[in-house]
Amino acid sequence: MPPVFRFAPSPNGYLHLGHALSAILNFDMAKAAGGRFLLRIEDIDATRCRPEYEEAIYEDLAWLGLSWEEPVRRQSQHLDAYRQARDRLDAMGLLFPAFESRGEIARLAGERAFWPLDPDGAPLYPGEGKMLPDEERRRRIAAGAPYALRIDMDKAIARAGALHWQESGRGPGGESGIVTADPRAWGDAVLARKEVPTSYHLSVVVDDTLQGVTHVVRGVDLFWSTSLHRLLQSLLGLPAPLYHHHRLVLDADGRKLSKSTAATALRALRQAGATPDAIRAMVGLG
Ligand code: GLU
């Protein structure tokens, strides 16, 4: 079976040089390995994703000289698959509804000294919702309260045991080879919400399996997400792909590029006369 690589952008802004590095690396590695290259549109966040950004992804990647298999998987069309995975975790007793807003969690965490943050910098869930009796949960849900479905991390870890992954790139601290997953760093992470039956973390593991992805090549900013992905794969009985996290493209101030910075958008560079070869050189793949 040929290896399967994927580039999985979210259409919530224009692609920039960091995306170019990731997309080209995936494409080149697939080619070198005689493998397949897939494009996946991660558009579950309906409030931030726009059709014009999706069109721009196809245009920018084609301009870079990349080609991918059709049809492209668009996550918004597969909510049922994610709902099934959510329901399986729920049936295992691993999910609970948490009714606090992000602001309330920040406030609760702020009241305690040295409250830990998750790898994305958000305060860990303080755990209040785990104490609510079932009856009270049902009452609030019936009353239409918004909620997030969180994973009970202690229960999940007890069930999954120790987890590892094979890393051929490098983590932020130089991690390489067999890396020990640390899902506890995410606390009781959000896996779904009242109005959306999934989250980035849940969709990505479901899709990587359904698409037969064997090699996940992505930016090092997602390195610690892999801990949570390995946990979900283990709980759902899904195979673990190989992982390769690559360096990020930084701006002149040494910061990670953002979709809101127009200057490093691929279309701005193209309009300014850059060629696909120049883009390769700019991301250090010359
Ligand atoms: N959709 C994610 C992003 O835009 C990438 C997902 C992944 O490669 O696992 O950053």
Side-chain angles (χ1 to χ4, degrees):
M1 293 288 272
V4 181
F5 293 74
R6 92 300 195 271
F7 175 58
S10 292
N12 55 12
Y14 292 118
L15 298 186
H16 55 55
L17 286 172
H19 298 106
L21 172 61
S22 209
I24 296 170
L25 269 180
N26 270 287
F27 183 79
D28 287 358
M29 287 169 86
K31 208 162 155 189
R36 298 164 55 200
F37 173 69
L38 310 179
L39 174 61
R40 180 167 75 223
I41 301 294
E42 303 213 323
D43 60 349
I44 51 171
D45 185 351
T47 59
R48 297 175 62 215
C49 294
R50 300 225 200 103
E52 60 266 35
Y53 291 136
E54 185 178 329
E55 276 314 308
I57 289 172
Y58 303 134
E59 213 180 280
D60 291 346
L61 294 179
W63 172 72
L64 282 176
L66 311 191
S67 54
W68 51 89
E69 291 182 15
E70 299 281 354
V72 166
R73 185 176 177 90
R74 301 170 68 241
Q75 290 189 325
S76 57
Q77 297 180 321
H78 299 278
L79 294 181
D80 266 341
Y82 314 134
R83 201 175 279 120
Q84 275 175 35
R86 177 203 66 185
D87 290 349
R88 282 182 58 204
L89 294 170
D90 199 26
M92 291 181 226
L94 297 177
L95 303 184
F96 67 94
F99 298 93
E100 298 88 346
S101 66
R102 282 195 190 87
E104 278 169 281
I105 291 169
R107 189 181 51 74
L108 284 168
E111 285 168 2
R112 308 172 194 201
F114 311 116
W115 191 252
L117 304 179
D118 75 18
D120 284 344
L124 294 197
Y125 182 66
E128 262 73 355
K130 280 198 271 194
M131 261 96 84
L132 272 190
D134 268 350
E135 199 183 313
E136 175 62 12
R137 288 177 179 165
R138 279 195 294 273
R139 193 192 63 75
R140 291 198 196 183
I141 290 172
Y147 61 89
L149 281 178
R150 291 180 173 269
I151 188 162
D152 185 324
M153 188 52 77
D154 288 336
K155 277 194 202 167
I157 288 176
R159 187 161 177 142
L163 296 165
H164 304 90
W165 78 84
Q166 177 73 46
E167 174 66 47
S168 62
R170 264 176 187 288
E175 297 86 349
S176 207
I178 306 287
V179 178
T180 302
D182 178 23
R184 201 177 292 284
W186 292 93
D188 302 320
V190 173
L191 292 191
R193 294 185 185 277
K194 178 188 175 186
E195 64 286 4
V196 195
T198 190
S199 60
Y200 158 64
H201 299 295
L202 188 57
S203 316
V204 92
V205 299
V206 168
D207 282 351
D208 284 339
T209 297
L210 289 178
Q211 296 191 287
V213 170
T214 57
H215 291 65
V216 171
V217 178
R218 61 187 176 191
V220 70
D221 51 336
L222 291 169
F223 185 82
W224 289 116
S225 292
T226 310
S227 290
L228 191 46
H229 300 172
R230 289 291 300 116
L231 177 68
L232 296 174
Q233 286 157 355
S234 167
L235 294 169
L236 293 165
L238 310 177
L242 302 173
Y243 288 90
H244 181 104
H245 292 88
H246 60 74
R247 65 189 160 79
L248 302 180
V249 179
L250 303 176
D251 68 13
D253 299 323
R255 278 188 307 246
K256 187 183 149 183
L257 299 184
S258 143
K259 277 184 175 147
S260 52
T261 324
T264 49
L266 295 180
R267 47 195 40 222
L269 294 164
R270 170 165 45 133
Q271 272 149 25
T275 61
D277 278 344
I279 300 288
R280 276 188 177 258
M282 287 166 89
V283 299
L285 294 176

